[in-house]
Each structure stands twice: as C-alpha cells, then as structure tokens.
C-alpha cells in the first residue's frame, strides 16, 4: 500500500481562529501534512461547546496550545510562534487581532516571510467590516438563499455552512497560492478573506449577476428528491435526454407530448413534479433503486454521512480512517492526507510546543505563574 500523499509535510501553521472557517482551513492543511498549532484561549475554542460535532472532525491532526493572549506576557510566546511558522490564521472581527498583538504587522516584524490570512465575516474594509454575523447571515446577504433547490419548494438553508466551509476552503487555496508565490519571490503575504464574499462568489458562479435570471434556471423537475412508499427519500438525477428516455421506458405513462423534451418538461414542470411525487410513492426505495440501476438511470438514496461511510465505493477508495473522512483526492496512486492524531484537549500540547519554541522549565513555570499558560 502506497504511503499517504502529504505534500505539506514540513509546513508550519499557527492558527489563532475559532469556530468553523479558520479551523476548517487549517484542517485541510493538517490533513495534507502541515504541522498545525491551534492556539486556544484559557477556556478553549468556543466551538468545543457550540458545534462539538464539527469541532471534533475539523481539529484532528492538530496540537493545542492554550494561552491568554490578553495577557501582555504572552507576547514572547507569540513572537516565537511567528518566527517558526510559515502560515498564520486568525478569524476575529477587524481590529481584535491588533488588540491581541497577533495582527499581521506584529507577526511580520518577527517573520517578514510569514503568510498571514485574516478570515472575517465581511472583510477588513468597507462599511460592514465590523458588522456581526454568522453563516446564515452571509449566505442570505450574498444571494444564496434567493433561489430554490427543489422544483416545488421554497429556498431552504443547507445543513452545510456554505460560507464558513467555503470560506475556509478559499482560505486554504489562498495561503497555498501564497506559499507557492513565496518560493518564487521570497516574500510573505497578507490575505483578507471575507466569508460574505465567499458565499457571494459561489452564488454568482451558480446564478450569475443577471437581476432577471430565471429562478429555476439551475434546477429541473426530473432532477430532484422524491419520497418512496417506505418513507425514504431518493434522488432522481435526470438531465440528459437518454436518461429521460430510459426512465420513460419503465414509467410509460410519462411518454406524452407534454414531457417529450427538456423545454416542455420545464414548461409543465409543476404538473410533472407532482406526478413524479405520486409515482415514487408507489414503490419502496429498494425496489426503485434496483429498477433504476438496471435501466442506467442516475439514482441514489438520501443517507447520513455515517451511513455513507459504509458505502462499498468509499470503502474501496479508503475514504475513512479512524472515524474521520479523509481528504478527497488521490495523488499518483496514494490517498491524499492521513489521520496522524485525534482532536486535542484544550492546551494538551502546551508544554511540548513551548519546549520546541525554546522555553525551558523555568520559563514555563513563570508563564504558568503569571497566568499566561493553561496546562491540561
């Protein structure tokens, strides 16, 4: 079996961020081999209690250092972290990082080549820069809740935090682009990432900026989710005409002029969608899956990630390890990413990290005494 693909081995990341976007970004980097130090406040990342399920998945492969950044004596720790890091991430409202002395200008003094990414709701500039918000706000303001995801249903929020995770992914792309640029120029970079703009970018790529765009341009009545006789939900994935013809072959009542082309199926989409809903209620999910698969028609059962983990396709591609989903790319026959350690306790690696930074026992004792360091 080939060794896992870890192209970021040797890259050092200090992550001051909390909740979802920044930690998701550093999770991608950590999965691909980067050494990530997660800096937490004395009480820990609030995400530990607000979103514990996601906290436990996106903070694997990291070490935790718990220090009080509000304590001026923490600056010696921050300085050494900056000197030994290639990438720094923060996810506070504009101005907070500066007050904590972990802003770009401060870290740049210690390491001129550092790549620093600020992840904020609306960006570091503009009239909304200090506006409070969370994923649902960014997604709404960006236009990503304006259009429906189903033919006959109103727009609905996804279970996935689109702006938070999308923004975290864009941050990873940006810092890795800067890392490549540094190999050419030797210079670091300051990156200003807006979660609002991340959602806007996705929404605009999907729906365009045309104010008169057809609100159903992106959906199809035969490419939707339908309930079956046993209360399960199936996704019918028909776009191409040959799939429709295959489907009509097993549901001949659909072979009528009103549905004979994509244009006509759209024109009569409301009636078609209601008819399909009635048709799918005639059989159980397993019967539909067998019938549709036998006739080469795209179909899948709606399942949870935990159920999907036992899918033979994912098992064959070794997509899960130690209870975690792995980075979804193979490179040169090797699985991308690996699980090298689980989620850390708050401050679990504080002493270990400080020793690596050059602090001796006396220094560490002073940090504890002065309330800078929290040990697990």
């Amino acid at each position: 079996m080939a060794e896992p693909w870890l192209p970021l081995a040797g890259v050092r990341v200090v992550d001051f961020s909390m909740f979802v976007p920044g930690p998701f970004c550093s999770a991608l980097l950590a999965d691909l081999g980067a050494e990530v130090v997660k800096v937490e406040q004395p009480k820990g990342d609030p995400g530990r209690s607000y979103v514990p399920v996601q906290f436990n998945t996106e903070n694997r492969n990291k070490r935790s250092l718990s220090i009080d950044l509000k304590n001026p004596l923490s600056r010696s720790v921050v300085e050494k972290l900056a000197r030994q890091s290639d990438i720094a991430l923060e996810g506070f409202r504009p101005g907070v990082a500066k007050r904590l002395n972990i802003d770009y200008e401060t870290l740049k003094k210690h390491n001129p080549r550092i790549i620093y990414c600020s992840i904020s709701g609306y960006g570091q500039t503009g009239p909304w820069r200090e506006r409070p918000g969370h994923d649902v706000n960014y997604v709404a303001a960006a236009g990503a809740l304006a259009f429906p995801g189903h033919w006959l249903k109103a727009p609905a929020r996804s279970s996935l935090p689109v702006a938070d995770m999308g923004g975290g992914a864009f941050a990873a792309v940006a810092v890795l682009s800067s890392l490549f640029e540094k190999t050419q120029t030797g210079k670091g970079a300051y990156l200003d990432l807006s979660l609002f703009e991340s959602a806007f970018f996705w929404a605009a790529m999907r729906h365009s900026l045309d104010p008169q765009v057809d609100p159903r341009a992106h959906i199809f009545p035969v490419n939707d989710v339908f309930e079956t006789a046993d209360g399960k939900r199936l996704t019918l994935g028909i776009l191409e005409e040959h799939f429709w013809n295959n489907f009509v072959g097993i549901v001949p009542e659909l072979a009528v002029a009103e549905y004979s082309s994509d244009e006509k199926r759209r024109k009569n989409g409301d009636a078609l969608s209601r008819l399909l809903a009635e048709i799918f209620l005639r059989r159980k999910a397993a019967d539909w899956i067998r019938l549709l698969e036998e006739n080469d028609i795209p179909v899948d059962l709606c399942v949870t990630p935990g159920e999907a983990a036992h899918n033979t396709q994912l098992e064959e591609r070794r997509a899960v390890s130690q209870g975690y989903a792995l980075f979804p790319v193979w490179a040169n026959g090797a699985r991308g990413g690996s699980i090298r350690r689980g989620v850390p306790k708050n401050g679990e690696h504080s002493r270990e990290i400080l020793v690596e930074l050059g602090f001796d026992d006396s220094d560490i004792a002073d940090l504890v005494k002065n309330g800078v360091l929290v040990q697990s």
Side-chain angles (χ1 to χ4, degrees):
M1 184 184 298
E3 289 296 313
W5 182 58
L6 301 173
L8 298 182
V11 173
R12 294 163 298 186
V13 181
V14 56
D15 184 1
F16 296 102
S17 67
M18 302 182 295
F19 291 108
V20 174
F24 180 69
C25 170
S26 60
L28 300 179
L29 305 179
D31 278 7
L32 293 176
E35 178 62 43
V36 177
V37 172
K38 179 176 179 63
V39 178
E40 301 191 62
Q41 59 187 359
K43 293 182 179 180
D45 182 340
R48 287 182 178 271
S49 58
Y50 277 105
V51 281
V53 172
Q54 186 158 3
F55 182 92
N56 290 333
T57 58
E58 69 183 12
N59 284 292
R60 77 276 188 100
N61 285 334
K62 302 176 187 179
R63 295 189 295 168
S64 173
L65 168 63
S66 186
I67 56 175
D68 183 1
L69 292 172
K70 295 180 181 179
N71 189 322
L73 298 177
S74 67
R75 294 178 187 179
S76 62
V77 179
V78 171
E79 176 181 343
K80 291 186 178 183
L81 282 169
R83 289 186 186 280
Q84 295 194 21
S85 297
D86 301 292
I87 297 165
L89 304 173
E90 67 92 2
F92 299 101
R93 279 205 223 183
V96 174
K98 183 174 180 61
R99 293 199 295 273
L100 295 174
N101 289 289
I102 57 169
D103 58 303
Y104 174 61
E105 292 303 324
T106 297
L107 269 59
K108 182 182 178 182
K109 292 176 183 176
H110 308 311
N111 181 358
R113 289 164 52 89
I114 199 166
I115 295 166
Y116 186 105
C117 183
S118 289
I119 301 173
S120 63
Y122 300 97
Q124 300 296 308
T125 59
W128 278 16
R129 65 187 295 269
E130 295 184 5
R131 182 185 177 98
H134 283 294
D135 180 85
V136 69
N137 307 116
Y138 314 139
V139 170
L145 285 178
F147 305 112
H150 303 274
W151 191 264
L152 286 178
K153 295 181 181 179
R157 182 185 183 187
S158 170
S159 71
L160 303 178
V162 173
D164 284 354
M165 296 182 75
F170 284 132
V173 170
V175 298
L176 293 177
S177 298
S178 296
L179 196 62
F180 174 77
E181 183 182 49
K182 189 167 75 169
T183 66
Q184 312 297 309
T185 67
K187 297 179 180 180
Y190 175 68
L191 307 171
D192 168 9
L193 184 136
S194 159
L195 300 174
F196 169 46
E197 290 174 36
S198 297
F200 172 69
F201 183 87
W202 278 27
M205 289 287 279
R206 178 65 162 167
H207 302 294
S208 85
L209 299 180
D210 179 1
Q212 303 302 318
V213 67
D214 178 359
R216 284 176 165 174
H218 60 294
I219 54 176
F220 301 81
V222 290
N223 188 280
D224 214 330
V225 182
F226 300 96
E227 187 174 336
T228 60
D230 50 350
K232 296 183 179 181
R233 293 180 302 136
L234 290 182
T235 56
L236 183 66
I238 294 177
L239 293 179
E240 297 87 347
E241 198 66 23
H242 68 277
F243 287 137
W244 172 254
N245 292 332
N246 291 350
F247 189 58
V248 170
I250 61 173
V251 189
E253 66 192 273
L254 295 173
V256 295
E258 290 87 349
Y259 307 142
S260 60
S261 69
D262 179 64
E263 181 181 2
K264 291 180 179 179
R265 289 191 290 275
R266 282 181 167 278
K267 181 180 179 181
N268 300 291
D270 290 4
L272 175 56
S273 185
R274 292 189 184 97
L275 177 57
L276 288 171
E278 188 273 324
I279 289 171
F280 273 95
L281 285 171
R282 298 174 187 171
R283 299 173 184 263
K284 293 182 179 180
D287 295 329
W288 275 118
I289 291 173
R290 175 187 53 78
L291 187 60
L292 294 171
E293 286 182 343
E294 288 176 352
N295 287 275
D296 193 35
I297 300 164
V299 61
D300 273 292
L301 182 67
C302 295
V303 300
T304 66
E307 292 169 331
H310 300 290
N311 184 297
T312 54
Q313 176 68 16
L314 293 180
E315 289 177 344
E316 172 69 23
R317 287 178 60 82
R318 303 197 300 274
V320 175
S321 176
Q322 302 177 53
Y324 296 102
L326 294 177
F327 191 82
V329 174
W330 284 64
N332 304 316
R335 183 81 209 188
S338 70
I339 303 300
R340 302 178 301 285
R341 56 168 60 93
V343 59
K345 297 178 182 177
N346 182 30
E348 179 179 347
H349 305 95
S350 294
R351 182 178 181 81
E352 173 182 305
I353 293 167
L354 290 172
V355 170
E356 292 174 4
L357 292 176
F359 290 88
D360 59 27
D361 288 343
S362 177
D363 297 327
I364 295 173
D366 285 342
L367 292 172
V368 174
K369 178 182 177 181
N370 292 308
V372 175
L373 173 64
V374 175
Q375 295 180 302
S376 62

